[in-house]
Amino acid sequence: MTNLLFSIPLISKMLPTDYVGFTFFIGCMAMMAASAFFFLSLSQFDKKWRVSVLVSGLITFIAAVHYFYMRDYWASFGESPTFFRYVDWVLTVPLMCLEFYLILKIAGAKQSLLWKMIVYSLVMLVTGYFGEAVDPTNAWLWGLVSGVAYFAIVYEIWLGEASKLAKAAGGEVLSAHKILCWFVLVGWAIYPLGYMLGTEGWYTSLLGKGNVDVAYNIADAINKIGFGLVIYNLAVKSTKD
Ligand SMILES: *C/C=C(C)/C=C/C=C(C)/C=C/C1=C(C)CCCC1(C)C
């Protein structure tokens, strides 16, 4: 009998030029390490900040699990794991909206603000999924609707109710809110760029085609871990006071 165990590889080779595979691999490790960091830091904070830091850890933990699946999917099929990607986002982006709400609660944020942002983010992601996976011939149109929802989020935190609450809260909360606003405006803008590199549309002649997964993986690392560190930093500073 031939040794079946050795004829079925349990791990696939990674070519040195496989940047997608590489960024998936690094993504797994980074998200996992960040989760351990956030979870293990919890006990050092005042009670009211613990939930925020816990949510930071949940965001990177949910991403870590999806990254393990996405890495394997890419290694097995050499295709974008679009489905897992969007499931990850549908879970983690609303949690990022929750982070805004949690830090603004001390200034009187209402649940309606949270729900409004969650609805915007779901519209943004569901239409994005349709453009990438269900109806890619109209990718530009789905991307446009998704982009409008994205700008609604940007408006809400930069100029809308959330920004007013942040000003009312002042101090460390206001500084943290400002940094998170920049993450959403600049860090999140990498996603529509990746989308345009990965789908066909009028923009293809301008931008060309590129690898959507490398763009998404870099963006996820910046946004999920960076976002969490801003919250962590806020909790550290507010606990010392
Ligand atoms: C952790 C994951 C995050 C922060 C994901 C954010 C995703 C976006 C901001 C995606 C935005 C998109 C557009 C604005 C238009 C094209 C379609 C999307 C879904 C890529």
Side-chain angles (χ1 to χ4, degrees):
M1 204 176 98
T2 53
N3 194 331
L4 211 62
L5 191 64
F6 288 104
S7 60
I8 304 168
L10 294 172
I11 181 167
S12 36
K13 283 185 185 174
M14 198 185 297
L15 297 172
T17 50
D18 181 5
Y19 303 112
V20 177
F22 174 71
T23 53
F24 273 128
F25 195 88
I26 296 291
C28 292
M29 300 308 139
M31 296 294 180
M32 204 172 55
S35 309
F37 177 80
F38 293 132
F39 289 147
L40 292 172
S41 74
L42 278 178
S43 61
Q44 78 190 67
F45 302 120
D46 284 349
K47 257 204 181 114
K48 63 172 182 186
W49 292 110
R50 278 187 206 156
V51 179
S52 300
V53 178
L54 174 66
V55 172
S56 293
L58 289 176
I59 290 169
T60 52
F61 183 70
I62 291 170
V65 175
H66 283 83
Y67 265 78
F68 280 102
Y69 279 96
M70 292 196 285
R71 185 201 62 177
D72 286 353
Y73 188 97
W74 171 261
S76 309
F77 306 112
E79 278 173 23
S80 279
T82 309
F83 176 76
F84 292 118
R85 177 77 73 187
Y86 276 85
V87 175
D88 173 344
W89 290 354
V90 156
L91 299 172
T92 53
V93 175
L95 287 175
M96 294 171 107
C97 297
L98 176 63
E99 294 280 37
F100 276 101
Y101 167 76
L102 287 175
I103 69 169
L104 295 175
K105 231 166 69 173
I106 52 160
K110 292 194 220 75
Q111 277 197 16
S112 58
L113 170 70
L114 172 64
W115 290 115
K116 190 158 61 171
M117 289 186 53
I118 289 179
V119 168
Y120 292 154
S121 66
L122 292 179
V123 171
M124 174 179 88
L125 297 172
V126 171
T127 52
Y129 183 73
F130 268 73
E132 276 196 64
V134 181
D135 183 26
T137 46
N138 291 311
W140 71 272
L141 194 61
W142 293 109
L144 186 71
V145 179
S146 176
V148 170
Y150 169 50
F151 273 108
I153 300 174
V154 170
Y155 177 85
E156 188 55 57
I157 57 174
W158 277 87
L159 304 162
E161 200 183 328
S163 90
K164 291 187 189 104
L165 289 165
K167 283 192 193 110
E172 296 298 344
V173 170
L174 178 59
S175 337
H177 178 85
K178 281 235 175 82
I179 305 173
L180 294 182
C181 282
W182 280 107
F183 268 99
V184 173
L185 185 68
V186 180
W188 288 23
I190 304 170
Y191 297 99
L193 204 68
Y195 178 92
M196 290 194 282
L197 290 173
T199 56
E200 289 282 350
W202 54 267
Y203 39 77
T204 307
S205 55
L206 297 170
L207 294 172
K209 291 285 253 179
N211 198 282
V212 56
D213 287 298
V214 172
Y216 288 166
N217 291 353
I218 292 171
D220 275 356
I222 294 171
N223 290 303
K224 291 188 165 63
I225 300 172
F227 222 81
L229 286 173
V230 175
I231 301 287
Y232 170 85
N233 191 44
L234 172 61
V236 169
K237 287 194 170 141
S238 311
T239 297
K240 253 189 247 152
D241 292 341

